[in-house]
Amino acid sequence: MSAADILPVVGQSLGIEAVDTHTEALRVAEFAKFRPTYYWDETRELELAGTTWRVLASAKIEDAEDTHFLGVIDKWTLSAETIIPPVDHTQILDPSSAETQIMSSIDDSRNWDCGNTDEAVVEVSRVRRVLVPKRKDKDSLLTEDVVVSRLGCGVYARFIPIVASANDLPFYYPRVREYAFGFVEPEDRDHAASTLVALARELSPDSSMATKRQQVIWQDLIKRLYKWMVTDRFGYQKRVALDVMVAYDTYTTKYQELKAKYAAYWVDNWPEQTDPRKFVFEDIAIASWIICLWQQDGDSRQPSFVDLGCGNGLLVHLLIAEGYVGYGVDQCSRKVWSHYGRSVDLRAQTLEPYGYVADVDWIIGNHADELVPWIPVIAARSNAKFVVIPCCPHDFSGRKMAFPAVAGQSKYHAYSMYICDLAERCGFGVEKEYLRIPSTKNLAIVGRRRVAEVGQVDVDTMIQAGRQGFVARVPDSVKTKVRLAKVQARKQQSSCE
């Protein structure tokens, strides 16, 4: 058996992660047509049913219908957390409950009254909801009405906070009396595009609702509205497995806890050249998920671990700080290693994976490059469990892998299926979950249950096939030293001539 024999047939099982590439191409092409107009430096007003609104942004959208707009607004209403990151979840109140009878003193025009106008207002829906924040110890609940109405050629969704004064609005909420999104169809529907608008009613004539920070919020919201409507029109559904092994509420609670404990310090004191805002929050998210996974395993003792290809070592530091015993291994040390303290065991060494055995409960591989395909094998030989997050595709020899193009399948998906196949050959029952981390390489593959004994699978044959051609990757630091040495040698040679 050779290393090539271990590769499964690409595309044999697309699974839930597969996508319709033709539909996706059309969707992306429509995204490129997004050309918004913002009105930060000018006051543009719109009269609707006797109420004056400030127009903040507008954008043309082609081939859209009001059903697409209403579908997006319905999703946003039921799950505000999908567009407002500080919100943990949304509670929809019973229309007959006492809470729905509370009126807001910050706004005295909750119902659109046409007065002497000729405009007919038809209320489509009215929902009272509560936005529950993630930082429950710092931010208060916010009750809000979402009222959807038809008016003339448009459909408008109004978001009305139920607060006594502007001081009661949470930090993430726009400083407005209320805001709205509208979908306005043209009179000539056959030849003209419809228009999306973002509107707001000012708290007072001299109030500012287009500060730099709020401009970013409005830009993001109208862009999301456009993209979600396009997505809804094409019938596209994101096919990824979220919250399969770890419940969303369990994960977010742990993530907020660890973020409050570690994020600020490491973002402010990160000694590496890499961006701490990415790596710190990503590793905190991964650590949170792993801890939740371990806690639900039902083991009475804290599991031990090794992180192979640990890189900056932050994940190891976080797990040890939370009471777990383990260590990390990487080809070369990093500046940040010395900042963790002596309690964090990080080892700079080049592994020969075909002969490596670890006396731990869990093997971790977080974007471990050429070690990724070996991790299920090492776990099988070590009688351990594993979690691996694949990144760049490598085979058993350490070389980069190339996958043929398959309709509906990305290269990352193909490589992930390759790793899953290896894990199954090693006797593991494979579980998969996409993690909520700032990375497109975010699939966690877990082997925590054996469905076959090690003696019943051909692990040794796989090891022999892999060790024949394995070549460890040369660390970037070594490559840099070699390159600089060559440059210096050329300079010396030139000076002698």
Side-chain angles (χ1 to χ4, degrees):
M1 177 185 290
S2 66
D5 295 328
I6 302 172
L7 179 65
V9 177
V10 178
Q12 64 183 2
S13 175
L14 298 183
I16 58 174
E17 299 87 356
V19 299
D20 182 340
T21 51
H22 176 68
T23 300
E24 176 66 359
L26 293 175
R27 191 172 71 111
V28 172
E30 286 297 315
F31 288 171
K33 297 179 182 179
F34 180 62
R35 296 288 188 273
T37 302
Y38 303 111
Y39 306 100
W40 314 133
D41 300 324
E42 63 176 290
T43 301
R44 177 165 297 199
E45 295 182 340
L46 180 65
E47 290 289 329
L48 293 174
T51 304
T52 301
W53 292 79
R54 167 90 178 269
V55 182
L56 300 174
S58 66
K60 296 293 184 181
I61 183 168
E62 299 177 355
D63 301 322
E65 300 179 0
D66 58 4
T67 53
H68 304 135
F69 176 80
L70 292 171
V72 173
I73 293 301
D74 185 54
K75 294 173 184 176
W76 286 12
T77 299
L78 299 177
S79 302
E81 61 274 13
T82 59
I83 60 168
I84 309 176
V87 173
D88 180 72
H89 64 278
T90 307
Q91 293 180 353
I92 305 299
L93 300 181
D94 186 338
S96 62
S97 67
E99 290 99 328
T100 60
Q101 307 307 314
I102 302 174
M103 301 298 287
S104 167
S105 60
I106 194 175
D107 184 23
D108 56 2
S109 59
R110 301 174 56 74
N111 296 304
W112 270 348
D113 184 1
C114 295
N116 296 324
T117 70
D118 295 329
E119 297 175 293
V121 179
V122 178
E123 187 170 297
V124 177
S125 64
R126 179 183 292 266
V127 173
R128 177 158 291 185
R129 66 181 186 176
V130 177
L131 307 185
V132 181
K134 291 179 178 176
R135 304 188 309 174
K136 297 177 177 60
D137 57 332
K138 295 183 179 181
D139 303 322
S140 59
L141 304 176
L142 175 67
T143 303
E144 182 186 50
D145 277 352
V146 182
V147 183
V148 179
S149 303
R150 294 185 183 275
L151 178 62
C153 295
V155 183
Y156 300 88
R158 302 165 61 201
F159 296 81
I160 311 167
I162 312 300
V163 291
S165 70
N167 294 331
D168 297 326
L169 292 172
F171 78 94
Y172 60 81
Y173 203 87
R175 289 301 184 261
V176 296
R177 188 179 298 273
E178 63 175 301
Y179 67 93
F181 294 104
F183 173 75
V184 184
E185 293 182 306
E187 294 183 2
D188 183 3
R189 299 185 183 183
D190 295 331
H191 300 91
S194 299
T195 303
L196 299 177
V197 292
L199 311 170
R201 292 181 61 219
E202 298 171 301
L203 289 168
S204 61
D206 59 345
S207 63
S208 175
M209 56 184 174
T211 62
K212 291 294 184 182
R213 179 176 176 274
Q214 293 196 38
Q215 286 177 22
V216 173
I217 295 175
W218 296 119
Q219 289 170 349
D220 178 67
L221 288 176
I222 196 167
K223 184 177 182 180
R224 288 192 185 212
L225 178 59
Y226 181 95
K227 284 191 169 185
W228 284 44
M229 286 183 62
V230 169
T231 297
D232 190 64
R233 175 161 66 90
F234 282 105
Y236 174 88
Q237 291 186 348
K238 191 174 183 180
R239 301 180 183 95
V240 296
L242 293 168
D243 313 318
V244 175
M245 288 176 272
V246 176
Y248 173 77
D249 291 342
T250 303
Y251 162 75
T252 52
T253 299
K254 178 58 68 175
Y255 175 73
Q256 292 300 322
E257 175 191 332
L258 266 59
K259 187 174 80 167
K261 291 168 69 173
Y262 305 110
Y265 175 82
W266 286 111
V267 168
D268 293 340
N269 297 277
W270 193 246
E272 303 287 347
Q273 296 297 316
T274 52
D275 183 2
R277 290 169 297 181
K278 178 187 186 301
F279 289 96
V280 170
F281 290 104
E282 181 174 318
D283 282 352
I284 288 176
I286 294 172
S288 302
W289 185 83
I290 288 176
I291 289 172
C292 293
L293 182 72
W294 289 349
Q295 288 177 342
Q296 72 179 27
D297 245 14
D299 200 334
S300 58
R301 63 180 182 83
Q302 299 275 54
S304 58
F305 71 92
V306 58
D307 184 0
L308 300 181
C310 64
N312 60 47
L314 182 58
L315 179 59
V316 177
H317 165 67
L318 294 170
L319 294 175
I320 290 176
E322 290 300 301
Y324 296 90
V325 177
Y327 62 96
V329 179
D330 203 277
Q331 280 188 312
C332 55
S333 62
R334 308 292 198 276
K335 290 180 183 178
V336 71
W337 284 17
S338 62
H339 292 246
Y340 295 137
R342 295 183 178 180
S343 62
V344 180
D345 184 1
L346 297 171
R347 308 172 187 180
Q349 66 183 85
T350 298
L351 289 182
E352 294 181 344
Y354 45 81
Y356 187 78
V357 177
D359 185 19
V360 295
D361 299 308
W362 281 83
I363 313 289
I364 298 173
N366 174 25
H367 295 175
D369 292 332
E370 73 276 8
L371 294 179
V372 167
W374 284 98
I375 286 176
V377 178
I378 293 172
R381 294 191 69 190
S382 304
N383 196 26
K385 304 173 184 179
F386 76 87
V387 55
V388 61
I389 305 172
C391 186
C392 302
H394 292 81
D395 62 17
F396 270 97
S397 69
R399 300 186 187 92
K400 290 287 185 71
M401 297 182 70
F403 293 92
V406 177
Q409 185 180 58
S410 67
K411 292 181 180 179
Y412 182 68
H413 172 70
Y415 183 54
S416 299
M417 293 304 98
Y418 167 61
I419 302 302
C420 290
D421 183 80
L422 292 177
E424 290 174 353
R425 294 182 183 213
C426 290
F428 288 99
V430 175
E431 299 173 87
K432 297 179 291 181
E433 180 170 327
Y434 280 85
L435 305 185
R436 299 176 182 275
I437 60 176
S439 173
T440 56
K441 307 295 192 298
N442 61 338
L443 177 64
I445 300 172
V446 176
R448 54 178 171 170
R449 297 181 178 86
R450 304 301 295 272
V451 295
E453 295 296 329
V454 176
Q456 297 176 343
V457 292
D458 207 4
V459 175
D460 289 338
T461 303
M462 297 169 67
I463 292 172
Q464 290 302 320
R467 73 183 301 169
Q468 292 174 5
F470 180 80
V471 178
R473 180 175 59 89
V474 178
D476 293 338
S477 59
V478 174
K479 291 180 181 178
T480 301
K481 289 180 181 179
V482 172
R483 180 176 56 82
L484 293 176
K486 289 181 179 179
V487 172
Q488 187 65 28
R490 284 196 297 267
K491 288 183 178 179
Q492 290 178 353
Q493 184 177 2
S494 299
S495 62
C496 295
E497 292 177 351

